[in-house]
Amino acid sequence: MKTVQGLVSIVIPVFNAVPYLEECLASAAGQTYQPLEIIVINDGSTDSSEELINKFASSDKRFKTFNQKNQGLGYTRNRGISLSAGQYIFFLDADDVLPENSIALLAATIRKNNADYSVGKVLRFNENRMYVPIRHLEFDLYRKPGLTTLLNSPELLQDSIACNKLWRTDFLKGNSLCFKEGKYYEDLALTMKAAVLAEKIAVIDEVVYHWRVRDAEDKPSITQQQMKLENTLHRLEALAENRQWLVNRHIDKRIIEEHDLKSLLDVMRLHAVKFALIDPAEKEEWKQQTSSFLRAIPTETALKLPDKERAMYGLLLEGNTEDLFLFSQMLMDTEEQPIVTQEQDRFVLKGFRQDIEVTPFLKPEMIVEHIEKMEAKWRLEGKLRIPKASYPVNGTFYLIDRKSGQEKILTPLQLTQAETSSCYPFEEQVFTAVIDSKQFEKEHQEAAYDFYYKLGAFPKSPPARVRALPKAFKTAEAFKKGNYTLSLYRTNYGNLSMQIHKKRVKDYVKKALAPLWKK
């Protein structure tokens, strides 16, 4: 097929995606970049996806639609590559969403730098919040724009999704880069090989992809799917093949070491952590295959793992699957009786072979569900979760000045035990908190504060940003004090923050002229 210069082909595989598909297709159609072709391949959907696809195609000539019997994601993406006429290709999953400037941003930087591909930030999202993927935070990915290579930035291997990247079509085809078919984790090989082979990788520090977290589905959960033996074996196979490809090509040691670290993180976080969910009939083979894979990676790589992942790694290599099972139950909240003991300033997992301090892995969660203005105060209500708490725990509700980093302690929470099915009596609680605006009367400058909660009696437990639901702000009115306004707001990531804003002359002028603009 003849390539059209400047054209971007957005490839969207679709399989039973009706709950999310309209938002996805609308986000592709709403891109500010032109020209576009939107290749939508219905991969044997049994719901009404085809009808929704045809609705978009009938009113927008940029949509090119295709139907096929179910072949899987790898086959369908590869077909999308073969059908595309674009100089560039972008892969969009049917349950995800593109910010309107995504393609424009990626296309501008790939063209400016004549790069093999361009890449930007990702945000995970659900109905209540957005957040940066933990791996992207840990490895400081996409914080600075610029041109790089994998040798200069080996940490790029930690991002193995294909969907936050704009690919030069001739780069993919010229290197015979394609997705693995008939397997899970079809993109692991393509993204790794592309990163190694690319002579120029253009990085931008803008969000280009919203990656949905599918929290509630009627069908078997993604978590359960991941714990099928076949699923785990497919990942181990893909990672092992990638490593062998790197070794055979005599790729720089730093890149192989980075891939080894990525492999350990993948196996620990996506599989070992869910060990308690494995079918008992598959556990022995899962253990043997996983342990064999881990032993093929130099042991010094494990020293780079965070504490939680290093603990699971150790349990697996020791063959201590009894305690790994308990560790997994704890992290997945699937235990039916207490397995964690609350001891003075720490939480301890009582294993069959050993006791493990797990305080650093138990992060509290505070969610504001309702805000009410009362005279000079705000009254906040919501839920507080203190993982594995069997007894009352004292914590600190506080603010951090975004500019100076200074903390300001707020009034202690009033707590009530919530009705819960948890086997830990004080794990779920209902809280009431009061914020007195008089605390900020002496503030004579603009400021922004973020809310936090931490367990004072358990210093190793990590502090948590306080989250807020959208519905909480229906009655969250601001306080006005002279030229200053004190207001609570919900950040784009769903966290609770406060702002002290000084009204300037231009604000008054804007307000006065507003009625005239409406006319």
Side-chain angles (χ1 to χ4, degrees), residues 8-13 31 36-37 39 84 88-93 97-99 102-103 106 118 162-169 172 208-210:
V8 171
S9 301
I10 300 180
V11 175
I12 310 176
Q31 290 299 298
L36 281 181
E37 68 170 358
I39 299 172
S84 68
Y88 308 106
I89 293 180
F90 187 91
F91 300 103
L92 172 60
D93 285 348
V97 179
L98 288 182
S102 294
I103 301 299
L106 291 166
S118 54
C163 296
N164 60 333
K165 302 167 179 72
L166 183 65
W167 306 92
R168 220 179 63 223
T169 306
L172 292 181
V208 299
Y209 201 78
H210 289 169

PDB file of all heavy atoms in Angstrom, residues 8-13 31 36-37 39 84 88-93 97-99 102-103 106 118 162-169 172 208-210:
ATOM      1  N   VAL A   8      -1.247  10.008   9.700  1.00  0.00           N
ATOM      2  CA  VAL A   8      -1.129   9.152  10.878  1.00  0.00           C
ATOM      3  C   VAL A   8      -2.269   8.140  10.859  1.00  0.00           C
ATOM      4  O   VAL A   8      -3.443   8.518  10.749  1.00  0.00           O
ATOM      5  CB  VAL A   8      -1.171   9.963  12.184  1.00  0.00           C
ATOM      6  CG1 VAL A   8      -1.267   9.033  13.399  1.00  0.00           C
ATOM      7  CG2 VAL A   8       0.066  10.845  12.309  1.00  0.00           C
ATOM      8  N   SER A   9      -1.915   6.879  10.953  1.00  0.00           N
ATOM      9  CA  SER A   9      -2.910   5.805  11.017  1.00  0.00           C
ATOM     10  C   SER A   9      -3.090   5.392  12.474  1.00  0.00           C
ATOM     11  O   SER A   9      -2.142   4.921  13.111  1.00  0.00           O
ATOM     12  CB  SER A   9      -2.455   4.593  10.196  1.00  0.00           C
ATOM     13  OG  SER A   9      -2.241   4.934   8.844  1.00  0.00           O
ATOM     14  N   ILE A  10      -4.293   5.586  13.003  1.00  0.00           N
ATOM     15  CA  ILE A  10      -4.609   5.123  14.357  1.00  0.00           C
ATOM     16  C   ILE A  10      -5.270   3.755  14.233  1.00  0.00           C
ATOM     17  O   ILE A  10      -6.331   3.624  13.613  1.00  0.00           O
ATOM     18  CB  ILE A  10      -5.546   6.099  15.087  1.00  0.00           C
ATOM     19  CG1 ILE A  10      -4.902   7.481  15.217  1.00  0.00           C
ATOM     20  CG2 ILE A  10      -5.903   5.558  16.473  1.00  0.00           C
ATOM     21  CD1 ILE A  10      -5.767   8.510  15.925  1.00  0.00           C
ATOM     22  N   VAL A  11      -4.644   2.740  14.797  1.00  0.00           N
ATOM     23  CA  VAL A  11      -5.144   1.365  14.700  1.00  0.00           C
ATOM     24  C   VAL A  11      -5.846   1.001  16.004  1.00  0.00           C
ATOM     25  O   VAL A  11      -5.238   1.031  17.079  1.00  0.00           O
ATOM     26  CB  VAL A  11      -3.997   0.386  14.415  1.00  0.00           C
ATOM     27  CG1 VAL A  11      -4.509  -1.052  14.429  1.00  0.00           C
ATOM     28  CG2 VAL A  11      -3.344   0.715  13.077  1.00  0.00           C
ATOM     29  N   ILE A  12      -7.131   0.636  15.904  1.00  0.00           N
ATOM     30  CA  ILE A  12      -7.938   0.320  17.086  1.00  0.00           C
ATOM     31  C   ILE A  12      -8.536  -1.083  16.957  1.00  0.00           C
ATOM     32  O   ILE A  12      -9.514  -1.282  16.243  1.00  0.00           O
ATOM     33  CB  ILE A  12      -9.071   1.345  17.283  1.00  0.00           C
ATOM     34  CG1 ILE A  12      -8.547   2.776  17.229  1.00  0.00           C
ATOM     35  CG2 ILE A  12      -9.809   1.078  18.603  1.00  0.00           C
ATOM     36  CD1 ILE A  12      -9.639   3.840  17.318  1.00  0.00           C
ATOM     37  N   PRO A  13      -7.963  -2.090  17.632  1.00  0.00           N
ATOM     38  CA  PRO A  13      -8.595  -3.416  17.678  1.00  0.00           C
ATOM     39  C   PRO A  13      -9.781  -3.368  18.649  1.00  0.00           C
ATOM     40  O   PRO A  13      -9.682  -2.757  19.720  1.00  0.00           O
ATOM     41  CB  PRO A  13      -7.481  -4.318  18.210  1.00  0.00           C
ATOM     42  CG  PRO A  13      -6.218  -3.498  18.173  1.00  0.00           C
ATOM     43  CD  PRO A  13      -6.659  -2.082  18.293  1.00  0.00           C
ATOM     44  N   GLN A  31      -9.105  14.320  17.610  1.00  0.00           N
ATOM     45  CA  GLN A  31      -7.717  14.775  17.610  1.00  0.00           C
ATOM     46  C   GLN A  31      -7.545  16.060  16.810  1.00  0.00           C
ATOM     47  O   GLN A  31      -8.151  16.238  15.750  1.00  0.00           O
ATOM     48  CB  GLN A  31      -6.806  13.689  17.035  1.00  0.00           C
ATOM     49  CG  GLN A  31      -6.639  12.476  17.920  1.00  0.00           C
ATOM     50  CD  GLN A  31      -6.022  12.828  19.268  1.00  0.00           C
ATOM     51  OE1 GLN A  31      -4.887  13.305  19.343  1.00  0.00           O
ATOM     52  NE2 GLN A  31      -6.768  12.600  20.331  1.00  0.00           N
ATOM     53  N   LEU A  36      -5.613  12.294   9.362  1.00  0.00           N
ATOM     54  CA  LEU A  36      -5.723  11.037  10.104  1.00  0.00           C
ATOM     55  C   LEU A  36      -6.489  10.004   9.288  1.00  0.00           C
ATOM     56  O   LEU A  36      -7.384  10.349   8.510  1.00  0.00           O
ATOM     57  CB  LEU A  36      -6.513  11.242  11.402  1.00  0.00           C
ATOM     58  CG  LEU A  36      -5.888  11.865  12.639  1.00  0.00           C
ATOM     59  CD1 LEU A  36      -6.936  11.889  13.740  1.00  0.00           C
ATOM     60  CD2 LEU A  36      -4.668  11.089  13.087  1.00  0.00           C
ATOM     61  N   GLU A  37      -6.136   8.741   9.489  1.00  0.00           N
ATOM     62  CA  GLU A  37      -7.046   7.655   9.134  1.00  0.00           C
ATOM     63  C   GLU A  37      -7.195   6.803  10.390  1.00  0.00           C
ATOM     64  O   GLU A  37      -6.230   6.581  11.119  1.00  0.00           O
ATOM     65  CB  GLU A  37      -6.527   6.822   7.952  1.00  0.00           C
ATOM     66  CG  GLU A  37      -5.301   6.004   8.214  1.00  0.00           C
ATOM     67  CD  GLU A  37      -4.991   5.024   7.082  1.00  0.00           C
ATOM     68  OE1 GLU A  37      -5.758   4.962   6.109  1.00  0.00           O
ATOM     69  OE2 GLU A  37      -3.970   4.306   7.186  1.00  0.00           O
ATOM     70  N   ILE A  39      -8.267   3.292  11.662  1.00  0.00           N
ATOM     71  CA  ILE A  39      -8.515   1.908  11.243  1.00  0.00           C
ATOM     72  C   ILE A  39      -9.079   1.139  12.429  1.00  0.00           C
ATOM     73  O   ILE A  39      -8.374   0.897  13.415  1.00  0.00           O
ATOM     74  CB  ILE A  39      -7.221   1.253  10.738  1.00  0.00           C
ATOM     75  CG1 ILE A  39      -6.677   2.024   9.529  1.00  0.00           C
ATOM     76  CG2 ILE A  39      -7.453  -0.213  10.397  1.00  0.00           C
ATOM     77  CD1 ILE A  39      -5.297   1.574   9.084  1.00  0.00           C
ATOM     78  N   SER A  84      -2.595  -0.061   6.925  1.00  0.00           N
ATOM     79  CA  SER A  84      -2.390   1.375   7.089  1.00  0.00           C
ATOM     80  C   SER A  84      -1.692   2.002   5.887  1.00  0.00           C
ATOM     81  O   SER A  84      -0.847   1.383   5.248  1.00  0.00           O
ATOM     82  CB  SER A  84      -1.579   1.657   8.356  1.00  0.00           C
ATOM     83  OG  SER A  84      -0.259   1.177   8.211  1.00  0.00           O
ATOM     84  N   TYR A  88       3.007   7.346   9.669  1.00  0.00           N
ATOM     85  CA  TYR A  88       3.163   7.026  11.086  1.00  0.00           C
ATOM     86  C   TYR A  88       1.984   6.177  11.544  1.00  0.00           C
ATOM     87  O   TYR A  88       0.879   6.265  10.993  1.00  0.00           O
ATOM     88  CB  TYR A  88       3.231   8.304  11.929  1.00  0.00           C
ATOM     89  CG  TYR A  88       4.253   9.303  11.446  1.00  0.00           C
ATOM     90  CD1 TYR A  88       3.863  10.466  10.793  1.00  0.00           C
ATOM     91  CD2 TYR A  88       5.618   9.082  11.636  1.00  0.00           C
ATOM     92  CE1 TYR A  88       4.795  11.391  10.345  1.00  0.00           C
ATOM     93  CE2 TYR A  88       6.557   9.999  11.196  1.00  0.00           C
ATOM     94  CZ  TYR A  88       6.142  11.151  10.543  1.00  0.00           C
ATOM     95  OH  TYR A  88       7.079  12.053  10.099  1.00  0.00           O
ATOM     96  N   ILE A  89       2.221   5.371  12.590  1.00  0.00           N
ATOM     97  CA  ILE A  89       1.174   4.497  13.132  1.00  0.00           C
ATOM     98  C   ILE A  89       1.076   4.707  14.636  1.00  0.00           C
ATOM     99  O   ILE A  89       2.092   4.814  15.341  1.00  0.00           O
ATOM    100  CB  ILE A  89       1.479   3.008  12.842  1.00  0.00           C
ATOM    101  CG1 ILE A  89       1.389   2.729  11.341  1.00  0.00           C
ATOM    102  CG2 ILE A  89       0.512   2.094  13.590  1.00  0.00           C
ATOM    103  CD1 ILE A  89       1.689   1.279  10.978  1.00  0.00           C
ATOM    104  N   PHE A  90      -0.159   4.734  15.114  1.00  0.00           N
ATOM    105  CA  PHE A  90      -0.416   4.827  16.558  1.00  0.00           C
ATOM    106  C   PHE A  90      -1.402   3.724  16.927  1.00  0.00           C
ATOM    107  O   PHE A  90      -2.394   3.503  16.226  1.00  0.00           O
ATOM    108  CB  PHE A  90      -1.012   6.193  16.916  1.00  0.00           C
ATOM    109  CG  PHE A  90      -1.146   6.436  18.390  1.00  0.00           C
ATOM    110  CD1 PHE A  90      -0.126   7.045  19.098  1.00  0.00           C
ATOM    111  CD2 PHE A  90      -2.280   6.033  19.079  1.00  0.00           C
ATOM    112  CE1 PHE A  90      -0.227   7.258  20.469  1.00  0.00           C
ATOM    113  CE2 PHE A  90      -2.392   6.238  20.445  1.00  0.00           C
ATOM    114  CZ  PHE A  90      -1.366   6.850  21.133  1.00  0.00           C
ATOM    115  N   PHE A  91      -1.132   3.028  18.032  1.00  0.00           N
ATOM    116  CA  PHE A  91      -2.012   1.951  18.492  1.00  0.00           C
ATOM    117  C   PHE A  91      -2.839   2.433  19.677  1.00  0.00           C
ATOM    118  O   PHE A  91      -2.297   2.919  20.668  1.00  0.00           O
ATOM    119  CB  PHE A  91      -1.188   0.719  18.887  1.00  0.00           C
ATOM    120  CG  PHE A  91      -0.381   0.163  17.753  1.00  0.00           C
ATOM    121  CD1 PHE A  91       0.988   0.407  17.669  1.00  0.00           C
ATOM    122  CD2 PHE A  91      -0.989  -0.587  16.750  1.00  0.00           C
ATOM    123  CE1 PHE A  91       1.733  -0.095  16.622  1.00  0.00           C
ATOM    124  CE2 PHE A  91      -0.244  -1.083  15.685  1.00  0.00           C
ATOM    125  CZ  PHE A  91       1.126  -0.832  15.621  1.00  0.00           C
ATOM    126  N   LEU A  92      -4.155   2.286  19.563  1.00  0.00           N
ATOM    127  CA  LEU A  92      -5.087   2.707  20.607  1.00  0.00           C
ATOM    128  C   LEU A  92      -5.972   1.524  20.978  1.00  0.00           C
ATOM    129  O   LEU A  92      -6.611   0.924  20.113  1.00  0.00           O
ATOM    130  CB  LEU A  92      -5.939   3.880  20.094  1.00  0.00           C
ATOM    131  CG  LEU A  92      -7.109   4.347  20.965  1.00  0.00           C
ATOM    132  CD1 LEU A  92      -6.643   4.818  22.331  1.00  0.00           C
ATOM    133  CD2 LEU A  92      -7.892   5.458  20.254  1.00  0.00           C
ATOM    134  N   ASP A  93      -6.005   1.178  22.258  1.00  0.00           N
ATOM    135  CA  ASP A  93      -6.881   0.096  22.705  1.00  0.00           C
ATOM    136  C   ASP A  93      -8.301   0.621  22.901  1.00  0.00           C
ATOM    137  O   ASP A  93      -8.510   1.774  23.278  1.00  0.00           O
ATOM    138  CB  ASP A  93      -6.351  -0.522  23.998  1.00  0.00           C
ATOM    139  CG  ASP A  93      -5.148  -1.419  23.751  1.00  0.00           C
ATOM    140  OD1 ASP A  93      -4.874  -1.732  22.569  1.00  0.00           O
ATOM    141  OD2 ASP A  93      -4.473  -1.807  24.720  1.00  0.00           O
ATOM    142  N   VAL A  97      -8.349   6.095  26.132  1.00  0.00           N
ATOM    143  CA  VAL A  97      -8.756   7.411  25.645  1.00  0.00           C
ATOM    144  C   VAL A  97      -7.522   8.243  25.308  1.00  0.00           C
ATOM    145  O   VAL A  97      -6.519   8.215  26.026  1.00  0.00           O
ATOM    146  CB  VAL A  97      -9.597   8.153  26.714  1.00  0.00           C
ATOM    147  CG1 VAL A  97      -9.991   9.536  26.224  1.00  0.00           C
ATOM    148  CG2 VAL A  97     -10.842   7.350  27.077  1.00  0.00           C
ATOM    149  N   LEU A  98      -7.626   9.026  24.231  1.00  0.00           N
ATOM    150  CA  LEU A  98      -6.553   9.937  23.835  1.00  0.00           C
ATOM    151  C   LEU A  98      -6.901  11.378  24.198  1.00  0.00           C
ATOM    152  O   LEU A  98      -7.970  11.859  23.815  1.00  0.00           O
ATOM    153  CB  LEU A  98      -6.324   9.878  22.319  1.00  0.00           C
ATOM    154  CG  LEU A  98      -5.677   8.638  21.736  1.00  0.00           C
ATOM    155  CD1 LEU A  98      -5.496   8.824  20.233  1.00  0.00           C
ATOM    156  CD2 LEU A  98      -4.346   8.365  22.384  1.00  0.00           C
ATOM    157  N   PRO A  99      -6.031  12.095  24.916  1.00  0.00           N
ATOM    158  CA  PRO A  99      -6.198  13.546  25.032  1.00  0.00           C
ATOM    159  C   PRO A  99      -6.182  14.150  23.626  1.00  0.00           C
ATOM    160  O   PRO A  99      -5.516  13.625  22.727  1.00  0.00           O
ATOM    161  CB  PRO A  99      -4.972  13.982  25.851  1.00  0.00           C
ATOM    162  CG  PRO A  99      -4.573  12.753  26.611  1.00  0.00           C
ATOM    163  CD  PRO A  99      -4.878  11.600  25.692  1.00  0.00           C
ATOM    164  N   SER A 102      -2.822  14.634  21.635  1.00  0.00           N
ATOM    165  CA  SER A 102      -1.818  13.567  21.686  1.00  0.00           C
ATOM    166  C   SER A 102      -1.078  13.378  20.370  1.00  0.00           C
ATOM    167  O   SER A 102       0.159  13.418  20.309  1.00  0.00           O
ATOM    168  CB  SER A 102      -2.466  12.242  22.087  1.00  0.00           C
ATOM    169  OG  SER A 102      -2.942  12.295  23.395  1.00  0.00           O
ATOM    170  N   ILE A 103      -1.820  13.149  19.302  1.00  0.00           N
ATOM    171  CA  ILE A 103      -1.188  12.877  18.016  1.00  0.00           C
ATOM    172  C   ILE A 103      -0.427  14.102  17.520  1.00  0.00           C
ATOM    173  O   ILE A 103       0.685  13.977  16.976  1.00  0.00           O
ATOM    174  CB  ILE A 103      -2.231  12.432  16.970  1.00  0.00           C
ATOM    175  CG1 ILE A 103      -2.962  11.155  17.455  1.00  0.00           C
ATOM    176  CG2 ILE A 103      -1.570  12.183  15.623  1.00  0.00           C
ATOM    177  CD1 ILE A 103      -2.065   9.968  17.670  1.00  0.00           C
ATOM    178  N   LEU A 106       2.932  14.260  19.483  1.00  0.00           N
ATOM    179  CA  LEU A 106       3.842  13.198  19.088  1.00  0.00           C
ATOM    180  C   LEU A 106       4.329  13.382  17.653  1.00  0.00           C
ATOM    181  O   LEU A 106       5.511  13.145  17.345  1.00  0.00           O
ATOM    182  CB  LEU A 106       3.157  11.838  19.242  1.00  0.00           C
ATOM    183  CG  LEU A 106       2.879  11.388  20.682  1.00  0.00           C
ATOM    184  CD1 LEU A 106       1.905  10.210  20.698  1.00  0.00           C
ATOM    185  CD2 LEU A 106       4.180  11.015  21.399  1.00  0.00           C
ATOM    186  N   SER A 118       8.278   8.474  18.650  1.00  0.00           N
ATOM    187  CA  SER A 118       8.169   9.456  19.724  1.00  0.00           C
ATOM    188  C   SER A 118       7.295   8.867  20.816  1.00  0.00           C
ATOM    189  O   SER A 118       6.445   8.009  20.560  1.00  0.00           O
ATOM    190  CB  SER A 118       7.582  10.782  19.213  1.00  0.00           C
ATOM    191  OG  SER A 118       6.350  10.582  18.548  1.00  0.00           O
ATOM    192  N   ALA A 162       2.763  -0.424  23.866  1.00  0.00           N
ATOM    193  CA  ALA A 162       2.933   0.115  22.510  1.00  0.00           C
ATOM    194  C   ALA A 162       2.097   1.366  22.273  1.00  0.00           C
ATOM    195  O   ALA A 162       2.256   2.026  21.244  1.00  0.00           O
ATOM    196  CB  ALA A 162       2.553  -0.957  21.487  1.00  0.00           C
ATOM    197  N   CYS A 163       1.223   1.686  23.221  1.00  0.00           N
ATOM    198  CA  CYS A 163       0.161   2.656  22.947  1.00  0.00           C
ATOM    199  C   CYS A 163       0.464   4.108  23.302  1.00  0.00           C
ATOM    200  O   CYS A 163      -0.380   4.961  23.048  1.00  0.00           O
ATOM    201  CB  CYS A 163      -1.108   2.222  23.673  1.00  0.00           C
ATOM    202  SG  CYS A 163      -1.781   0.656  23.107  1.00  0.00           S
ATOM    203  N   ASN A 164       1.587   4.422  23.891  1.00  0.00           N
ATOM    204  CA  ASN A 164       1.913   5.818  24.150  1.00  0.00           C
ATOM    205  C   ASN A 164       3.012   6.297  23.210  1.00  0.00           C
ATOM    206  O   ASN A 164       3.723   7.249  23.497  1.00  0.00           O
ATOM    207  CB  ASN A 164       2.352   6.024  25.600  1.00  0.00           C
ATOM    208  CG  ASN A 164       3.579   5.198  25.959  1.00  0.00           C
ATOM    209  OD1 ASN A 164       3.822   4.147  25.381  1.00  0.00           O
ATOM    210  ND2 ASN A 164       4.357   5.660  26.918  1.00  0.00           N
ATOM    211  N   LYS A 165       3.115   5.626  22.049  1.00  0.00           N
ATOM    212  CA  LYS A 165       4.198   5.894  21.112  1.00  0.00           C
ATOM    213  C   LYS A 165       3.646   6.081  19.701  1.00  0.00           C
ATOM    214  O   LYS A 165       2.730   5.373  19.290  1.00  0.00           O
ATOM    215  CB  LYS A 165       5.205   4.742  21.141  1.00  0.00           C
ATOM    216  CG  LYS A 165       5.792   4.486  22.536  1.00  0.00           C
ATOM    217  CD  LYS A 165       6.529   3.166  22.614  1.00  0.00           C
ATOM    218  CE  LYS A 165       7.129   2.938  24.003  1.00  0.00           C
ATOM    219  NZ  LYS A 165       6.112   2.643  25.036  1.00  0.00           N
ATOM    220  N   LEU A 166       4.237   7.020  18.976  1.00  0.00           N
ATOM    221  CA  LEU A 166       3.928   7.198  17.559  1.00  0.00           C
ATOM    222  C   LEU A 166       5.096   6.613  16.775  1.00  0.00           C
ATOM    223  O   LEU A 166       6.236   7.061  16.914  1.00  0.00           O
ATOM    224  CB  LEU A 166       3.736   8.676  17.222  1.00  0.00           C
ATOM    225  CG  LEU A 166       3.325   8.964  15.772  1.00  0.00           C
ATOM    226  CD1 LEU A 166       1.935   8.378  15.478  1.00  0.00           C
ATOM    227  CD2 LEU A 166       3.345  10.457  15.490  1.00  0.00           C
ATOM    228  N   TRP A 167       4.794   5.610  15.969  1.00  0.00           N
ATOM    229  CA  TRP A 167       5.835   4.848  15.279  1.00  0.00           C
ATOM    230  C   TRP A 167       5.962   5.288  13.829  1.00  0.00           C
ATOM    231  O   TRP A 167       4.955   5.500  13.143  1.00  0.00           O
ATOM    232  CB  TRP A 167       5.493   3.360  15.295  1.00  0.00           C
ATOM    233  CG  TRP A 167       5.219   2.790  16.651  1.00  0.00           C
ATOM    234  CD1 TRP A 167       4.004   2.695  17.268  1.00  0.00           C
ATOM    235  CD2 TRP A 167       6.180   2.248  17.563  1.00  0.00           C
ATOM    236  NE1 TRP A 167       4.143   2.109  18.506  1.00  0.00           N
ATOM    237  CE2 TRP A 167       5.470   1.832  18.721  1.00  0.00           C
ATOM    238  CE3 TRP A 167       7.566   2.057  17.517  1.00  0.00           C
ATOM    239  CZ2 TRP A 167       6.097   1.247  19.811  1.00  0.00           C
ATOM    240  CZ3 TRP A 167       8.187   1.473  18.606  1.00  0.00           C
ATOM    241  CH2 TRP A 167       7.462   1.077  19.738  1.00  0.00           C
ATOM    242  N   ARG A 168       7.196   5.393  13.346  1.00  0.00           N
ATOM    243  CA  ARG A 168       7.405   5.597  11.921  1.00  0.00           C
ATOM    244  C   ARG A 168       7.161   4.258  11.232  1.00  0.00           C
ATOM    245  O   ARG A 168       7.774   3.240  11.590  1.00  0.00           O
ATOM    246  CB  ARG A 168       8.835   6.083  11.661  1.00  0.00           C
ATOM    247  CG  ARG A 168       8.924   7.161  10.600  1.00  0.00           C
ATOM    248  CD  ARG A 168      10.330   7.640  10.380  1.00  0.00           C
ATOM    249  NE  ARG A 168      11.175   6.552   9.873  1.00  0.00           N
ATOM    250  CZ  ARG A 168      12.398   6.304  10.285  1.00  0.00           C
ATOM    251  NH1 ARG A 168      12.942   7.062  11.217  1.00  0.00           N
ATOM    252  NH2 ARG A 168      13.095   5.305   9.771  1.00  0.00           N
ATOM    253  N   THR A 169       6.247   4.237  10.285  1.00  0.00           N
ATOM    254  CA  THR A 169       5.831   2.986   9.658  1.00  0.00           C
ATOM    255  C   THR A 169       6.991   2.259   9.004  1.00  0.00           C
ATOM    256  O   THR A 169       7.133   1.029   9.137  1.00  0.00           O
ATOM    257  CB  THR A 169       4.728   3.239   8.619  1.00  0.00           C
ATOM    258  OG1 THR A 169       3.652   3.962   9.247  1.00  0.00           O
ATOM    259  CG2 THR A 169       4.186   1.942   8.053  1.00  0.00           C
ATOM    260  N   LEU A 172       9.070   0.308  11.562  1.00  0.00           N
ATOM    261  CA  LEU A 172       8.483  -0.974  11.971  1.00  0.00           C
ATOM    262  C   LEU A 172       8.642  -2.019  10.874  1.00  0.00           C
ATOM    263  O   LEU A 172       9.112  -3.136  11.110  1.00  0.00           O
ATOM    264  CB  LEU A 172       7.004  -0.798  12.314  1.00  0.00           C
ATOM    265  CG  LEU A 172       6.645   0.029  13.553  1.00  0.00           C
ATOM    266  CD1 LEU A 172       5.133   0.066  13.736  1.00  0.00           C
ATOM    267  CD2 LEU A 172       7.309  -0.529  14.803  1.00  0.00           C
ATOM    268  N   VAL A 208       0.068  11.745  26.806  1.00  0.00           N
ATOM    269  CA  VAL A 208      -0.450  11.428  25.478  1.00  0.00           C
ATOM    270  C   VAL A 208      -1.396  10.234  25.488  1.00  0.00           C
ATOM    271  O   VAL A 208      -1.972   9.897  24.452  1.00  0.00           O
ATOM    272  CB  VAL A 208       0.703  11.157  24.490  1.00  0.00           C
ATOM    273  CG1 VAL A 208       1.602  12.384  24.350  1.00  0.00           C
ATOM    274  CG2 VAL A 208       1.515   9.934  24.897  1.00  0.00           C
ATOM    275  N   TYR A 209      -1.562   9.587  26.659  1.00  0.00           N
ATOM    276  CA  TYR A 209      -2.393   8.383  26.679  1.00  0.00           C
ATOM    277  C   TYR A 209      -3.046   8.206  28.034  1.00  0.00           C
ATOM    278  O   TYR A 209      -2.379   8.314  29.067  1.00  0.00           O
ATOM    279  CB  TYR A 209      -1.535   7.143  26.368  1.00  0.00           C
ATOM    280  CG  TYR A 209      -2.327   5.957  25.878  1.00  0.00           C
ATOM    281  CD1 TYR A 209      -2.784   5.897  24.562  1.00  0.00           C
ATOM    282  CD2 TYR A 209      -2.611   4.880  26.711  1.00  0.00           C
ATOM    283  CE1 TYR A 209      -3.510   4.793  24.108  1.00  0.00           C
ATOM    284  CE2 TYR A 209      -3.324   3.785  26.261  1.00  0.00           C
ATOM    285  CZ  TYR A 209      -3.779   3.745  24.950  1.00  0.00           C
ATOM    286  OH  TYR A 209      -4.494   2.663  24.495  1.00  0.00           O
ATOM    287  N   HIS A 210      -4.365   7.961  28.017  1.00  0.00           N
ATOM    288  CA  HIS A 210      -5.107   7.633  29.228  1.00  0.00           C
ATOM    289  C   HIS A 210      -5.452   6.142  29.179  1.00  0.00           C
ATOM    290  O   HIS A 210      -6.229   5.701  28.333  1.00  0.00           O
ATOM    291  CB  HIS A 210      -6.378   8.478  29.322  1.00  0.00           C
ATOM    292  CG  HIS A 210      -6.111   9.927  29.621  1.00  0.00           C
ATOM    293  ND1 HIS A 210      -7.092  10.899  29.531  1.00  0.00           N
ATOM    294  CD2 HIS A 210      -4.981  10.558  30.005  1.00  0.00           C
ATOM    295  CE1 HIS A 210      -6.572  12.070  29.860  1.00  0.00           C
ATOM    296  NE2 HIS A 210      -5.291  11.889  30.145  1.00  0.00           N
TER     297      HIS A 210
END
